Amino acid sequence: MFKKLVPLNKEHHQSLRIQPINGFRFAANVHVAAVMVHEFARASAIYPIVFIENTHHDKFYPAALLGLEQNENLFVTEDGHWQAAYIPAVIRRYPFALARLGEDDIFTVCVDEESELVSQQEGNPLFSDSGEPAEVVEQVKRFLGELQQMEVMTEAFCRFLKSHNLFSPLNMQVRVGEKIQNVTGCYVINEQRFANLSDELFLEIRHQHYLAPIYAHLTSLSRTENLAMLKQGIRAVRHPSDEDQVH
């Protein structure tokens, strides 16, 4: 999604302007989008929520499945509209992101310099003539700051699940028309292990307010069938059968 993400700098970006998101073609090839536990309630009504392993940092993070294959976003139409009522926050933050500089826990606002939303002529200025951050930058800072706090809680949630061996690899098959599609490469909470937790550990989960996101995740897995139906519908529109074609 990001092409050239660089720290936002008034010396280099004072003349830049930002246009509001009016389409989502930039996310057309994004097949997974990270989601925070705070988003589970709304996201789970639309997307399957799975967990992706980051082997480099030895941790897991939750993500919404947007497609059944690499580089496939079934929710972005050909004209760039997002055909769902809820859009993950990491998509809505584009073309901005927070990035950690060095080994310290210091984050800075970054912008995708090659985004189509960034311009020298159109949109709202990022900085005033005197070099002060404009209101749009302040809004971005607040939004990204909220996401960063949500990410801290989400990471704690995933560490808890990992520490109690509640993750299992997902191995699911869905039918797309006449074809069987394998859904692999991610993880889900193991329902049997979860059901067999001790009363003490279950109470701890409830105390940590983890029950709601756990149930939301488990319920969301049935949305994988919705992805298959959505994909089949797109195929039918793009590749109509001979009977459907007008001669």
Side-chain angles (χ1 to χ4, degrees):
M1 184 166 66
F2 292 103
K3 300 175 183 176
K4 188 180 179 182
L5 196 62
V6 298
L8 189 62
N9 183 291
K10 66 180 180 181
E11 280 76 25
H12 294 93
H13 301 132
Q14 185 166 354
S15 62
L16 285 189
R17 293 174 174 268
I18 184 72
Q19 302 175 67
I21 294 176
N22 56 11
F24 295 90
R25 289 188 180 90
F26 63 85
N29 295 326
V30 178
H31 78 287
V32 293
V35 290
M36 312 303 169
V37 289
H38 308 72
E39 300 180 86
F40 276 31
R42 296 189 65 185
S44 63
I46 303 170
Y47 315 102
I49 297 176
V50 297
F51 294 87
I52 308 296
E53 185 178 17
N54 184 329
T55 55
H56 181 69
H57 292 97
D58 190 28
K59 65 180 182 180
F60 292 82
Y61 67 91
L65 279 183
L66 308 178
L68 295 174
E69 299 180 39
Q70 293 279 344
N71 303 318
E72 173 187 74
N73 189 335
L74 297 170
F75 294 91
V76 176
T77 62
E78 290 187 354
D79 58 1
H81 286 89
W82 194 285
Q83 51 182 355
Y86 182 76
I87 303 170
V90 295
I91 302 293
R92 290 184 278 118
R93 74 180 179 182
Y94 185 82
F96 299 99
L98 276 183
R100 181 185 282 109
L101 295 181
E103 298 297 326
D104 299 326
D105 287 334
I106 299 176
F107 292 84
T108 187
V109 176
C110 297
V111 63
D112 184 354
E113 286 185 332
E114 296 186 0
S115 168
E116 294 180 356
L117 301 177
V118 174
S119 170
Q120 296 279 353
Q121 293 83 27
E122 300 180 11
N124 298 312
L126 295 179
F127 295 94
S128 66
D129 293 338
S130 61
E132 295 300 316
E135 177 58 26
V136 63
V137 173
E138 297 300 331
Q139 292 175 356
V140 167
K141 286 181 178 179
R142 288 193 291 270
F143 183 49
L144 294 180
E146 292 173 0
L147 285 183
Q148 201 276 330
Q149 291 300 316
M150 294 179 187
E151 185 176 358
V152 170
M153 298 180 65
T154 302
E155 287 181 351
F157 172 65
C158 292
R159 282 197 305 270
F160 182 91
L161 298 175
K162 180 177 181 291
S163 66
H164 293 287
N165 193 32
L166 287 175
F167 288 128
S168 287
L170 174 64
N171 189 3
M172 180 183 293
Q173 291 186 330
V174 293
R175 179 178 293 277
V176 181
E178 299 300 319
K179 179 182 177 182
I180 298 297
Q181 183 103 32
N182 293 313
V183 184
T184 59
C186 49
Y187 291 78
V188 295
I189 293 175
N190 187 299
E191 285 194 69
Q192 184 174 358
R193 293 178 202 162
F194 176 65
N196 291 331
L197 291 176
S198 66
D199 292 345
E200 180 181 3
L201 187 53
F202 186 85
L203 288 175
E204 183 179 352
I205 289 175
R206 190 179 72 175
H207 177 73
Q208 295 286 350
H209 304 289
Y210 290 161
L211 281 180
I214 288 175
Y215 287 134
H217 153 69
L218 293 174
T219 302
S220 78
L221 296 178
S222 63
R223 310 294 179 223
T224 310
E225 296 290 343
N226 294 352
L227 292 185
M229 294 175 63
L230 192 57
K231 183 167 184 172
Q232 177 61 22
I234 291 174
R235 283 184 176 178
V237 170
R238 294 180 179 175
H239 308 287
S241 65
D242 292 338
E243 294 180 358
D244 294 332
Q245 296 182 28
V246 177
H247 298 282

